[in-house]
Amino acid sequence: MEKVDVEPNIPSLELKPEKPRRKPPPPGLKDDLTVIAHICVVFYFILICYLCFVRPFEFFTWHPLLLSLGWMLLMTEGILIISKENPVVRKLRLNHTWKLRYHWIILSIALLLVFIGFLIAVVNKNRLNKKHFKSWHALFGLISLVACIPAVINGTAALFDVELKKYIKPSIIKLIHQASGTIAFLFGGLAVVLSVYTKWFAKSSNNNKYLFLLGLATTLYSVIWTLQRPLLKCFRKLFKL
């Protein structure tokens, strides 16, 4: 009898077709509102720079200068860079990987500047023998820095979610990162808004009501618009768990 070769039943190793990427939404009203947020952030930073150098530069002046650069400008732009409604990112045609890369690089630089600015305020209080964290501005700033700790830890973990998925779901890591980051930016944003009510701002601006209104309007708008998308994403993910 002739031997008949029987092929073993080997499962197919065909690769699954990749899911088609969603096309970004066409430019609309939200893109225009994001552009306004960019303008507000830049205007506030220019305003603080003007107030820092319009008078003799002092040791404490580093605090508003570094915080306006680190928190208001870099932190806000670092969050907006991953937004789908950012026309700047749309023009640069950045993919998701590059957006995340710029996101953590910009926020890392921002946090370093914010931490230095925070230390300057603490050292200045010690030099003047004043009590710490008596104002809402200072308290909100402290809360935002504390909230940055879990955001940084989970943000780092999110970069290695493939290796960590055996121990914890990547969706949970990302949710904790987004929630803690949103809380951090919320309280940091409140501290920035309240900065226009501080004695330093009043003294540097000579109680100019127009500069006060400019600072208040630019901070309020940019903080509210930057927060709206992360807040919605956090609520949606919470309901999915």
Side-chain angles (χ1 to χ4, degrees), residues 30 37 65 75 79 82 97 129 206-207 222:
K30 288 187 176 181
L65 185 60
M75 188 77 72
I79 295 173
I82 57 176
T97 302
N129 293 319
N206 292 321
N207 289 311
S222 54

Side-chain angles (χ1 to χ4, degrees), residues 66-191:
L66 291 176
L67 266 294
S68 61
L69 173 60
W71 197 278
M72 195 59 181
L73 183 61
L74 294 181
M75 188 77 72
T76 304
E77 293 298 334
I79 295 173
L80 288 177
I81 200 169
I82 57 176
S83 173
K84 294 179 181 179
E85 296 116 16
N86 193 334
V88 177
V89 175
R90 197 190 297 273
K91 279 192 175 183
L92 294 175
R93 296 182 180 178
L94 297 177
N95 59 29
H96 185 66
T97 302
W98 277 105
K99 286 196 287 186
L100 288 181
R101 189 169 297 171
Y102 283 128
H103 172 72
W104 72 260
I105 290 174
I106 294 172
L107 292 194
S108 298
I109 297 171
L111 279 175
L112 177 61
L113 296 176
V114 168
F115 184 69
I116 296 172
F118 176 80
L119 287 180
I120 287 171
V122 172
V123 171
N124 190 66
K125 288 277 187 181
N126 291 335
R127 289 173 58 189
L128 300 175
N129 293 319
K130 291 184 177 181
K131 292 183 179 181
H132 297 280
F133 312 116
K134 289 183 66 179
S135 65
W136 288 110
H137 167 72
L139 283 172
F140 287 156
L142 176 62
I143 294 172
S144 66
L145 272 182
V146 173
C148 282
I149 297 173
V152 170
I153 294 173
N154 284 278
T156 305
L159 295 174
F160 304 97
D161 58 353
V162 176
E163 292 82 358
L164 294 173
K165 67 179 180 181
K166 296 178 182 178
Y167 310 99
I168 185 171
K169 290 182 178 180
S171 58
I172 296 177
I173 294 175
K174 291 178 181 178
L175 175 61
I176 296 173
H177 171 66
Q178 289 177 350
S180 54
T182 302
I183 292 171
F185 189 79
L186 170 63
F187 282 98
L190 290 173

Side-chain angles (χ1 to χ4, degrees), residues 40 44 72 189 192-196 214-224:
C40 286
Y44 178 78
M72 195 59 181
V192 172
V193 172
L194 292 176
S195 68
V196 300
L214 177 62
L216 184 62
T218 52
T219 53
L220 271 175
Y221 180 84
S222 54
V223 168
I224 291 172

Side-chain angles (χ1 to χ4, degrees), residues 44-69 200-201 203-205 211:
Y44 178 78
F45 177 64
I46 293 173
L47 172 62
I48 295 299
C49 287
Y50 167 75
L51 296 180
C52 285
F53 294 101
V54 73
R55 300 173 62 249
F57 200 90
E58 301 173 351
F59 174 73
F60 180 76
T61 310
W62 283 108
H63 174 74
L65 185 60
L66 291 176
L67 266 294
S68 61
L69 173 60
W200 178 87
F201 192 96
K203 186 177 179 180
S204 300
S205 62
L211 294 181

